[in-house]
Amino acid sequence: MSIISLFANASLVVQSVMLLLLAASIASWVVIFQRGMALSRAKQAYTAFEKRFWSGVDLNHLYRELPSEEEATPGAAGVFRAGFREYSRLKPKSSNADAVMDGVQRSMRVTLSREEERLNIHLPFLATVSSVSPYVGLFGTVWGIMGSFQALGTAQQATLTTVAPWIAEALVATAMGLFAAIPAVIFYNRLASRADQLLGRYEDFAEELHSILHRNLHGRGSNDA
Protein backbone atom coordinates (compact mmCIF):
# COMPACT_ATOMS: atom_id res chain seq x y z
CA MET A 1 0.00 0.00 0.00
CA SER A 2 1.63 3.20 -1.20
CA ILE A 3 0.51 6.70 -0.24
CA ILE A 4 -0.73 7.31 -3.78
CA SER A 5 -2.86 4.16 -3.76
CA LEU A 6 -4.17 5.01 -0.31
CA PHE A 7 -5.13 8.46 -1.53
CA ALA A 8 -6.78 7.08 -4.67
CA ASN A 9 -8.82 4.57 -2.67
CA ALA A 10 -9.64 6.86 0.24
CA SER A 11 -13.06 8.32 0.84
CA LEU A 12 -13.88 11.74 -0.59
CA VAL A 13 -13.70 13.37 2.83
CA VAL A 14 -10.23 11.99 3.58
CA GLN A 15 -9.05 12.92 0.08
CA SER A 16 -10.24 16.49 0.67
CA VAL A 17 -8.39 16.59 3.99
CA MET A 18 -5.18 15.35 2.37
CA LEU A 19 -5.41 17.86 -0.47
CA LEU A 20 -6.09 20.70 1.96
CA LEU A 21 -3.09 19.77 4.09
CA LEU A 22 -0.87 19.41 1.03
CA ALA A 23 -1.90 22.85 -0.20
CA ALA A 24 -1.27 24.33 3.26
CA SER A 25 2.16 22.72 3.38
CA ILE A 26 3.15 24.05 -0.06
CA ALA A 27 1.87 27.54 0.77
CA SER A 28 3.73 27.56 4.09
CA TRP A 29 7.00 26.64 2.38
CA VAL A 30 6.48 29.47 -0.11
CA VAL A 31 5.98 31.88 2.80
CA ILE A 32 9.03 30.47 4.61
CA PHE A 33 11.37 31.05 1.67
CA GLN A 34 9.86 34.43 0.78
CA ARG A 35 10.03 35.81 4.32
CA GLY A 36 13.47 34.33 4.93
CA MET A 37 14.89 36.12 1.90
CA ALA A 38 13.03 39.34 2.74
CA LEU A 39 14.41 39.40 6.29
CA SER A 40 17.92 38.69 5.00
CA ARG A 41 17.66 41.63 2.59
CA ALA A 42 16.30 43.86 5.36
CA LYS A 43 19.21 42.96 7.63
CA GLN A 44 21.74 43.67 4.87
CA ALA A 45 20.07 47.01 4.11
CA TYR A 46 20.14 47.96 7.79
CA THR A 47 23.84 47.09 8.10
CA ALA A 48 24.69 49.14 5.01
CA PHE A 49 22.67 52.16 6.13
CA GLU A 50 24.01 52.03 9.68
CA LYS A 51 27.56 51.98 8.32
CA ARG A 52 26.77 54.97 6.14
CA PHE A 53 25.07 56.85 8.99
CA TRP A 54 27.97 56.42 11.39
CA SER A 55 30.60 57.25 8.77
CA GLY A 56 30.41 60.93 9.72
CA VAL A 57 28.31 61.99 6.74
CA ASP A 58 26.38 65.25 7.08
CA LEU A 59 22.79 64.43 8.00
CA ASN A 60 21.36 66.89 5.50
CA HIS A 61 23.40 65.26 2.75
CA LEU A 62 22.34 61.78 3.88
CA TYR A 63 18.69 62.85 3.87
CA ARG A 64 18.99 64.17 0.30
CA GLU A 65 20.53 60.87 -0.80
CA LEU A 66 17.40 58.94 0.16
CA PRO A 67 14.51 58.43 -2.30
CA SER A 68 11.55 60.73 -1.84
CA GLU A 69 9.02 57.87 -1.82
CA GLU A 70 8.34 56.25 1.54
CA GLU A 71 8.01 52.78 -0.02
CA ALA A 72 11.55 53.06 -1.40
CA THR A 73 13.11 53.70 2.03
CA PRO A 74 12.23 50.79 4.33
CA GLY A 75 13.97 49.88 7.55
CA ALA A 76 16.31 52.21 9.40
CA ALA A 77 16.55 54.46 6.34
CA GLY A 78 12.80 55.01 6.53
CA VAL A 79 13.01 55.75 10.26
CA PHE A 80 15.77 58.30 9.62
CA ARG A 81 13.87 59.84 6.72
CA ALA A 82 10.69 60.27 8.79
CA GLY A 83 12.47 61.66 11.85
CA PHE A 84 14.79 64.04 10.03
CA ARG A 85 12.02 65.30 7.75
CA GLU A 86 9.89 66.19 10.75
CA TYR A 87 12.90 67.75 12.48
CA SER A 88 13.67 69.91 9.43
CA ARG A 89 10.03 70.95 9.13
CA LEU A 90 9.44 71.87 12.77
CA LYS A 91 12.80 73.41 13.70
CA PRO A 92 12.33 76.72 11.80
CA LYS A 93 8.71 77.04 12.93
CA SER A 94 8.96 76.39 16.65
CA SER A 95 11.19 77.73 19.38
CA ASN A 96 10.03 75.02 21.76
CA ALA A 97 12.64 72.24 21.63
CA ASP A 98 10.38 69.75 23.40
CA ALA A 99 7.60 70.27 20.85
CA VAL A 100 10.06 69.68 18.00
CA MET A 101 11.41 66.49 19.54
CA ASP A 102 7.91 65.24 20.35
CA GLY A 103 7.01 65.63 16.70
CA VAL A 104 10.15 63.78 15.64
CA GLN A 105 9.42 60.96 18.06
CA ARG A 106 5.82 60.61 16.87
CA SER A 107 6.91 60.49 13.25
CA MET A 108 9.50 57.80 13.93
CA ARG A 109 7.01 55.83 16.03
CA VAL A 110 4.55 55.73 13.12
CA THR A 111 7.31 54.53 10.78
CA LEU A 112 8.38 51.86 13.26
CA SER A 113 4.81 50.64 13.41
CA ARG A 114 4.77 50.29 9.62
CA GLU A 115 8.10 48.48 9.71
CA GLU A 116 6.79 46.05 12.31
CA GLU A 117 3.85 45.26 10.04
CA ARG A 118 6.20 44.90 7.06
CA LEU A 119 8.56 42.53 8.88
CA ASN A 120 5.77 40.30 10.20
CA ILE A 121 3.68 40.12 7.03
CA HIS A 122 2.43 36.57 6.23
CA LEU A 123 3.85 35.20 9.49
CA PRO A 124 0.34 34.82 10.99
CA PHE A 125 -0.38 32.40 8.14
CA LEU A 126 2.42 30.14 9.38
CA ALA A 127 1.02 30.35 12.89
CA THR A 128 -2.41 29.36 11.58
CA VAL A 129 -1.04 26.39 9.62
CA SER A 130 0.98 25.20 12.61
CA SER A 131 -2.00 25.31 14.96
CA VAL A 132 -4.81 24.13 12.67
CA SER A 133 -3.14 21.40 10.56
CA PRO A 134 -2.95 18.75 13.33
CA TYR A 135 -6.67 19.16 13.99
CA VAL A 136 -7.50 18.93 10.29
CA GLY A 137 -5.40 15.77 10.09
CA LEU A 138 -7.14 14.47 13.20
CA PHE A 139 -10.51 15.02 11.52
CA GLY A 140 -9.33 12.82 8.64
CA THR A 141 -8.14 10.26 11.15
CA VAL A 142 -11.49 10.17 12.93
CA TRP A 143 -13.29 9.82 9.63
CA GLY A 144 -11.06 6.92 8.63
CA ILE A 145 -11.61 5.19 11.97
CA MET A 146 -15.38 5.60 11.52
CA GLY A 147 -15.07 3.98 8.11
CA SER A 148 -13.18 1.04 9.60
CA PHE A 149 -15.93 0.47 12.16
CA GLN A 150 -18.56 0.64 9.43
CA ALA A 151 -16.58 -1.92 7.45
CA LEU A 152 -16.45 -4.17 10.49
CA GLY A 153 -20.18 -3.81 11.01
CA THR A 154 -21.03 -4.91 7.47
CA ALA A 155 -18.39 -7.66 7.20
CA GLN A 156 -19.38 -11.24 7.89
CA GLN A 157 -15.96 -11.93 9.36
CA ALA A 158 -13.70 -9.36 11.01
CA THR A 159 -10.26 -9.55 9.48
CA LEU A 160 -7.30 -7.23 9.22
CA THR A 161 -7.86 -6.99 5.47
CA THR A 162 -11.26 -5.47 6.11
CA VAL A 163 -10.10 -2.58 8.27
CA ALA A 164 -6.48 -2.11 7.14
CA PRO A 165 -7.21 0.33 4.27
CA TRP A 166 -9.36 2.53 6.50
CA ILE A 167 -6.80 2.53 9.31
CA ALA A 168 -4.00 3.24 6.84
CA GLU A 169 -5.70 6.25 5.28
CA ALA A 170 -6.57 7.54 8.75
CA LEU A 171 -2.91 7.38 9.78
CA VAL A 172 -1.81 9.03 6.53
CA ALA A 173 -4.16 11.94 7.27
CA THR A 174 -2.56 12.30 10.71
CA ALA A 175 0.93 12.18 9.20
CA MET A 176 0.08 14.84 6.64
CA GLY A 177 -1.27 17.08 9.38
CA LEU A 178 2.05 16.80 11.22
CA PHE A 179 3.96 17.20 7.94
CA ALA A 180 2.26 20.56 7.41
CA ALA A 181 2.35 21.72 11.03
CA ILE A 182 5.91 20.93 12.16
CA PRO A 183 7.84 23.02 9.59
CA ALA A 184 5.31 25.84 9.96
CA VAL A 185 5.75 26.12 13.73
CA ILE A 186 9.54 25.77 13.56
CA PHE A 187 10.01 28.46 10.93
CA TYR A 188 7.32 30.71 12.41
CA ASN A 189 9.26 30.88 15.67
CA ARG A 190 12.54 31.40 13.85
CA LEU A 191 11.28 34.07 11.45
CA ALA A 192 9.31 35.87 14.16
CA SER A 193 12.45 35.96 16.32
CA ARG A 194 14.50 37.39 13.43
CA ALA A 195 11.82 40.01 12.77
CA ASP A 196 11.73 41.00 16.45
CA GLN A 197 15.52 41.31 16.58
CA LEU A 198 15.57 43.50 13.49
CA LEU A 199 12.73 45.65 14.81
CA GLY A 200 14.66 46.04 18.05
CA ARG A 201 17.65 47.32 16.09
CA TYR A 202 15.38 49.81 14.31
CA GLU A 203 14.11 51.03 17.68
CA ASP A 204 17.66 51.39 19.01
CA PHE A 205 18.58 53.40 15.93
CA ALA A 206 15.53 55.62 16.43
CA GLU A 207 16.62 56.31 20.02
CA GLU A 208 20.14 57.17 18.88
CA LEU A 209 18.84 59.46 16.14
CA HIS A 210 16.54 61.15 18.66
CA SER A 211 19.52 61.81 20.93
CA ILE A 212 21.62 63.23 18.09
CA LEU A 213 18.85 65.56 16.91
CA HIS A 214 18.18 66.62 20.49
CA ARG A 215 21.83 67.57 20.98
CA ASN A 216 21.91 69.39 17.64
CA LEU A 217 18.78 71.30 18.54
CA HIS A 218 20.42 72.54 21.71
CA GLY A 219 23.68 73.34 19.93
CA ARG A 220 25.71 70.70 21.73
CA GLY A 221 26.13 68.14 18.94
CA SER A 222 29.05 67.76 16.66
CA ASN A 223 26.87 66.71 13.70
CA ASP A 224 25.45 69.43 11.47
CA ALA A 225 21.74 69.01 11.00
Side-chain angles (χ1 to χ4, degrees), residues 34-57:
Q34 189 270 333
R35 294 313 304 159
M37 291 187 293
L39 290 174
S40 296
R41 289 194 300 267
K43 184 177 180 180
Q44 292 173 359
Y46 171 79
T47 302
F49 180 79
E50 186 183 39
K51 183 178 180 180
R52 176 64 173 157
F53 179 82
W54 293 112
S55 65
V57 64

Side-chain angles (χ1 to χ4, degrees), residues 40-94:
S40 296
R41 289 194 300 267
K43 184 177 180 180
Q44 292 173 359
Y46 171 79
T47 302
F49 180 79
E50 186 183 39
K51 183 178 180 180
R52 176 64 173 157
F53 179 82
W54 293 112
S55 65
V57 64
D58 180 78
L59 297 186
N60 285 288
H61 180 68
L62 181 60
Y63 177 75
R64 288 192 295 268
E65 287 181 352
L66 298 176
S68 57
E69 299 83 7
E70 291 186 3
E71 293 77 9
T73 53
V79 174
F80 168 78
R81 181 180 180 276
F84 195 80
R85 179 184 58 189
E86 193 70 8
Y87 175 82
S88 301
R89 186 181 70 86
L90 294 178
K91 183 181 177 182
K93 297 180 180 180
S94 176

Side-chain angles (χ1 to χ4, degrees), residues 12-36:
L12 182 61
V13 173
V14 177
Q15 285 181 342
S16 300
V17 168
M18 291 182 181
L19 288 175
L20 179 62
L21 291 173
L22 180 62
S25 178
I26 293 173
S28 65
W29 278 108
V30 171
V31 171
I32 287 168
F33 283 111
Q34 189 270 333
R35 294 313 304 159

Side-chain angles (χ1 to χ4, degrees), residues 134-165:
Y135 296 102
V136 176
L138 183 60
F139 173 76
T141 303
V142 172
W143 194 271
I145 297 297
M146 289 172 57
S148 67
F149 281 113
Q150 290 175 354
L152 284 174
T154 57
Q156 295 180 352
Q157 184 178 3
T159 62
L160 184 60
T161 306
T162 306
V163 299

